[in-house]
Amino acid sequence: MDHFDGSLRQAGIDLHTHSTASDGRLSPAQLVNKALEAGVKLLALTDHDTTDGLKEAQKTARALGIRLVSGVELSVRWNRQSIHVIGLDFDPKGRCLTSGLQRLRRLREQRALEIAEQLERLGITDAVSWTSEKMKSAQITRAHFARLLVQRGCCRTIRQAFRRYLEPGRFAYRACNWPPLTDGLNWINESGGHTVLAHPLRYGLNTSSLIQLLHEFKTVGGDAIEVCSGSASRKEVGLCAGFARRFTLKGSIGSDYHGDTQSGRPLGTPFPFPASIEPVWEVFN
Ligand code: AMP
Ligand code: MN
Ligand code: MN
Ligand code: MN
């Protein structure tokens, strides 16, 4: 059994959050202000496939006295499965990383326009121009389209929008050929950062596939897994801690905050971080 150290190690740490640079609701500055209110002392902004929000977040964090490390949530592919890898505390100017992010931007833009075309067929007649406009300032995800479907009265809730239109097999779903897992890990490693497998239990993998994923993640240079993540229950935290120990991976903590109840937890959610796990943040510069 794990001893849950409810005091120092997990207090005020949130290493998985989103802003308007991707599908979060708050601007980077608003997010950092909110983090201060929530008692967060160590924060990472980890937008989907972009580091565009980091400058503004860093400026605000300095002004408010919060420690902010660079972050990103990369979309990668493993065995035809879409996987999220969090990069932390890297140099945002890293050459491989910036070209990798350009590649991801092109993939996202292409997919977003394909989804928008489907939404036009569903009667949202300005979906393509809406998307083109949105793309100028944010990395577009399916969450943006879910919100659009709700705003335009096509669905009552975000959940319903995903279920009816945006999940695999649905009318407006489009798969994306994300770069391989190894590419994402290399980009972060080459820019001096640390890699975390995000929300390991949210990929719908059976235990043997998950074990295979964790084995490969470790073998190709992965550093940590999100032991405490967004919607994870105490039991799931224990399960992830077990995986971390089995594969000698470090552990991370993140709310996956998006600024609303759409997904993730409140910012800075105090998670019980198992004392037996080595925290990924102890090695930050
Ligand atoms: P994408 O990376 O474009 O496929 O979009 C993934 C994003 O959509 C996630 O980061 C979540 O913010 C959101 N998302 C995915 N599935 C759901 C769901 N069932 N309910 C609410 N949000 C979801
Ligand atoms: Mn998201
Ligand atoms: Mn994710
Ligand atoms: Mn996330």
Side-chain angles (χ1 to χ4, degrees):
M1 269 310 276
D2 268 308
H3 292 288
F4 283 101
D5 176 358
S7 58
L8 283 174
R9 304 181 83 186
Q10 49 76 38
I13 293 166
D14 200 329
L15 302 176
H16 186 164
T17 66
H18 295 275
S19 77
T20 47
S22 67
D23 58 4
R25 299 272 195 174
L26 304 183
S27 69
Q30 287 171 328
L31 179 88
V32 176
N33 270 283
K34 184 107 183 167
L36 180 75
E37 275 172 39
V40 175
K41 307 236 168 7
L42 176 61
L43 177 71
L45 172 61
T46 56
D47 274 309
H48 296 283
D49 307 318
T50 182
T51 53
D52 287 355
L54 293 184
K55 231 182 203 166
E56 180 185 316
Q58 195 58 266
K59 196 173 153 208
T60 314
R62 282 210 185 98
L64 298 180
I66 288 188
R67 185 166 171 224
L68 182 107
V69 291
S70 53
V72 69
E73 182 171 13
L74 297 176
S75 309
V76 295
R77 169 172 48 89
W78 175 78
N79 276 1
R80 274 174 275 130
Q81 171 88 35
S82 161
I83 298 288
H84 289 172
V85 169
I86 304 268
L88 295 170
D89 199 29
F90 50 80
D91 173 7
K93 295 199 183 79
R95 292 275 289 276
C96 292
L97 179 61
T98 46
S99 70
L101 291 176
Q102 271 169 23
R103 180 172 158 198
L104 284 165
R105 180 169 295 276
R106 280 194 298 275
L107 286 171
R108 278 208 175 266
E109 288 184 354
Q110 190 185 350
R111 182 181 71 148
L113 291 169
E114 287 170 16
I115 293 176
E117 280 171 18
Q118 293 300 86
L119 296 191
E120 291 209 348
R121 294 194 177 103
L122 285 170
I124 302 180
T125 53
D126 63 336
V128 170
S129 61
W130 180 90
T131 302
S132 305
E133 193 54 37
K134 213 53 181 181
M135 278 180 341
K136 291 179 189 164
S137 61
Q139 192 75 288
I140 303 262
T141 79
R142 283 180 295 153
H144 291 95
F145 293 111
R147 288 173 199 157
L148 184 66
L149 282 159
V150 173
Q151 273 164 23
R152 300 298 174 87
C154 302
C155 302
R156 272 185 298 111
T157 62
I158 297 287
R159 191 184 155 90
Q160 200 179 60
F162 271 95
R163 283 234 175 118
R164 286 197 185 159
Y165 300 109
L166 296 166
E167 282 181 353
R170 299 296 175 193
F171 184 74
Y173 177 75
R174 284 292 177 276
C176 212
N177 190 22
W178 304 119
L181 170 67
T182 46
D183 287 13
L185 294 176
N186 288 339
W187 302 338
I188 300 295
N189 286 333
E190 284 180 15
S191 52
H194 309 276
T195 50
V196 181
L197 181 69
H199 42 67
L201 304 179
R202 287 230 330 257
Y203 303 115
L205 297 172
N206 61 32
T207 307
S208 72
S209 298
L210 182 55
I211 283 171
Q212 201 191 338
L213 167 63
L214 288 163
H215 176 74
E216 285 188 36
F217 179 77
K218 172 74 185 181
T219 308
V220 295
D223 296 309
I225 64 175
E226 226 169 40
V227 167
C228 303
S229 74
S231 52
S233 65
R234 185 172 271 257
K235 189 174 159 211
E236 290 170 330
V237 170
L239 204 58
C240 287
F243 288 130
R245 277 192 299 273
R246 174 164 172 183
F247 293 97
T248 328
L249 290 161
K250 294 177 183 174
S252 188
I253 286 181
S255 63
D256 205 1
Y257 179 75
H258 282 73
D260 54 18
T261 53
Q262 164 225 313
S263 54
R265 282 270 172 99
L267 203 57
T269 294
F271 281 106
F273 190 78
S276 57
I277 303 300
E278 198 179 331
V280 70
W281 59 90
E282 280 191 351
V283 291
F284 288 173
N285 292 314

